[in-house]
Amino acid sequence: TADPAPDMEGVTAALKAAMANGAPGAMARLTGPDGVRTRAVGVRDRVSGAAMDTRARFRVGSVSKTFSSVVLLQLVDEGALELDAPVNRYLPGLLPDDRITVRHLLTHRSGLADYTDKMFAQTVPGFEAVRNRVFGYRELLDLSLAEPRTTEPGAAYKYSNTNFVVVGMLIEKVTGKAVGREYERRIIEPLRLRHTSYVHPDTRIKGTHVRGYLHPDEAGAPLVDSTEQTVSWAQSAGAIISDPADLNTFMTALMTGRLLSPRMLEAMTSVTPTDATNTRFYGLGLRRYDLTCGTRVYGHTGTVQGFYTYAFATRDGRRSLSAMANTSNRGAANTALGGTLEAAFCGKKPA
Ligand SMILES: C[C@@H](NC(=O)[C@@H](C)NC(=O)CCCC[C@H](NC(=O)C[NH3+])C(=O)[O-])C(=O)O
């Protein structure tokens, strides 16, 4: 059927598979015409043994990119800047190429190298080296500009955190305010996202929260508790803290037109393929996944030390899913967690 009931056994199986692949715990929260459903497995704290809890907060990683994209697109809606203008028009001399436009940043087509490739080439040493550091935007951009560009502007999709660091710089330049203030004023307060915050450079997660556990590169090495960090290496590209309910609310509000004009939402959801499977796409700070049942879901994934996140909704906002596993640097756990999407949005597989 076009709008099947979620397969909750399938959701639970995907969460358990994430655990079987190295996550201490995992959880999911679904909204739909038939109400809210939650599932949680394992622990949110390996020392206390506290059970995973769908009311607990965690670091959402690159789901932050969708928050940053919404703020920037609201500014475009307000005429404060233009999507197809060169970034250098608003930040004179910042980028080495006047052809790089605002749209190139939001679609990962700028060619700016991703500084995290080198920063985290060795997972735990790289993390330990930055977990308490506070970077300026300029420092992060300089790390990227020290690397060769990956493509001519606009020529190809190449995911890069650098793009959303520059988006943060644009937001602060155009508004004269810190990005955290803009998230609050334009998204968090209007939608009453009571458990969503941007506390950079504070390292703590306030309230009931999930502890994150990073897998070292060395097989069999013990997990590293990576919960406390500044996430200053990511900022507007990945430093937001939220919880399952707020992510459901955010993605649903986005899809139902509460945050952007119809024209801007149309632009945001206009996608190009990111891989050869033709089932994964990227628009403006937003991913689209085409599921096996034909349903298209929009949202973002997140990877920050100790936390994998999926936050997606159907285009009409009738259904949404947020899912989290408290580990990272373990691709199989991330892929397993991704299995919640098919179960949530496609329902039970036909026998
Ligand atoms: C891909 C993902 N991107 C994000 O969420 C951004 C904020 N995170 C990254 O770029 C990963 C940084 C390294 C993580 C580390 N990996 C390593 O250190 C590998 N050596 C880890 O897995 O924790 C997204 O858009 O879905």
Side-chain angles (χ1 to χ4, degrees), residues 7 292-293 342-343 346-351:
D7 168 13
T292 58
C293 54
E342 288 278 343
C346 291
K348 281 202 184 321
K349 289 275 176 258

Side-chain angles (χ1 to χ4, degrees), residues 317-337:
R318 275 167 58 86
R319 290 189 181 282
S320 78
L321 160 82
S322 55
M324 188 283 312
N326 58 342
T327 197
S328 70
N329 196 37
R330 183 54 66 91
N334 195 13
T335 304
L337 183 67

Side-chain angles (χ1 to χ4, degrees), residues 146-195:
E147 305 294 327
R149 296 239 295 290
T150 60
T151 169
E152 288 299 295
Y157 168 88
K158 183 83 174 71
Y159 186 91
S160 172
N161 287 296
T162 311
N163 292 316
F164 281 81
V165 167
V166 179
V167 166
M169 297 172 87
L170 276 172
I171 290 169
E172 301 208 340
K173 178 71 188 303
V174 168
T175 65
K177 297 272 192 318
V179 283
R181 179 77 199 88
E182 291 303 296
Y183 295 140
E184 282 164 7
R185 208 165 65 80
R186 296 170 174 275
I187 303 172
I188 294 171
E189 286 160 14
L191 298 183
R192 291 182 173 66
L193 304 181
R194 300 205 188 298
H195 296 148

Side-chain angles (χ1 to χ4, degrees), residues 227-272:
T227 312
E228 279 78 30
Q229 67 157 307
T230 60
V231 201
S232 197
W233 60 267
Q235 295 182 55
S236 43
I240 285 182
I241 289 164
S242 190
D243 78 349
D246 280 4
L247 292 182
N248 289 142
T249 301
F250 172 62
M251 288 301 175
T252 302
L254 178 59
M255 289 295 115
T256 54
R258 291 181 56 194
L259 294 169
L260 295 173
S261 68
R263 189 173 61 86
M264 204 52 67
L265 181 57
E266 185 55 35
M268 191 182 197
T269 56
S270 302
V271 298
T272 56

Side-chain angles (χ1 to χ4, degrees), residues 60-65 108 114-124 126-127 157 159-161 213-215 217 226 229 231 233-239 282 287 289 300-310 327-331 334:
V60 306
S62 286
V63 177
S64 310
K65 291 181 171 73
H108 291 296
D114 191 339
Y115 55 85
T116 65
D117 292 346
K118 191 171 274 185
M119 183 181 279
F120 299 122
Q122 293 186 61
T123 301
V124 173
F127 170 63
Y157 168 88
Y159 186 91
S160 172
N161 287 296
Y213 299 95
L214 177 61
H215 277 279
D217 296 328
S226 55
Q229 67 157 307
V231 201
W233 60 267
Q235 295 182 55
S236 43
Y282 208 92
R287 293 188 187 280
Y289 282 9
H300 218 288
T301 49
T303 302
V304 56
Q305 286 83 359
F307 302 95
Y308 285 132
T309 302
Y310 289 79
T327 197
S328 70
N329 196 37
R330 183 54 66 91
N334 195 13

